[in-house]
Amino acid sequence: MAFFRPGVSREAEVRYHADQEVGKSFPELLRKARAAEAELRRAQAAGVSTEELRVAARAFDMALTAALRAAEANQRATFGVRSYDDRIRRRKARATPKGAEWTDEVNRLRTLRERNRLTGLIRVPRPAGWVG
């Protein structure tokens, strides 16, 4: 008796290879995020103007977002090509050591980004004649 085992869809293969390519840039993007964070902390310690502090916080947010996207791509690629079509395979892949490692990294970066968005991004009042 033969069992029907569905193959991997073409869309899943394309997404898997795209995630592998995006994931390759993760170390560089993480390095840039750390540099942006160091710049933000330096600006906070120096007591620069509110506008300069906001610019540094936005740069840190954009660097964190790019690193987070690469980490999520690595996480999906680590789960395997079959996990793109099958939620059970995704769930099981999270339980593997490499899957848990990437899941923890993604959660850590998300938490860091949200903390920066809640406390680091300073609201700057609009100019008096601003219309928009």
Side-chain angles (χ1 to χ4, degrees):
M1 178 163 93
F3 290 100
F4 174 74
R5 177 174 279 175
V8 177
S9 70
R10 179 74 181 133
E11 179 186 349
E13 284 183 19
V14 169
R15 290 173 54 202
Y16 175 72
H17 291 298
D19 281 343
Q20 283 181 323
E21 287 301 313
V22 171
K24 288 179 184 177
S25 63
F26 176 72
E28 179 60 31
L29 292 171
L30 188 60
R31 209 173 3 266
K32 287 181 182 178
R34 287 182 178 149
E37 182 181 20
E39 179 62 29
L40 174 63
R41 301 298 174 232
R42 186 205 57 76
Q44 288 173 336
V48 297
S49 71
T50 306
E51 186 59 41
E52 291 175 21
L53 201 57
R54 180 169 171 76
V55 169
R58 290 274 300 150
F60 180 46
D61 182 64
M62 289 189 297
L64 268 178
T65 300
L68 177 61
R69 286 185 180 145
E72 288 171 338
N74 267 337
Q75 179 189 33
R76 289 188 301 267
T78 300
F79 291 170
V81 70
R82 290 184 184 267
S83 69
Y84 286 85
D85 293 334
D86 188 1
R87 67 180 179 81
I88 301 298
R89 284 191 186 267
R90 258 191 315 273
R91 189 192 63 177
K92 287 181 176 183
R94 275 194 186 97
T96 64
K98 288 297 265 183
E101 180 183 321
W102 278 110
T103 300
D104 290 343
E105 182 67 18
V106 166
N107 289 337
R108 185 184 70 79
L109 288 173
R110 275 192 190 132
T111 302
L112 193 57
R113 185 180 68 170
E114 289 304 314
R115 185 179 326 131
N116 180 56
R117 286 183 175 179
L118 290 173
T119 61
L121 286 175
I122 298 170
R123 293 183 179 261
V124 178
R126 293 183 180 137
W130 189 80
V131 177

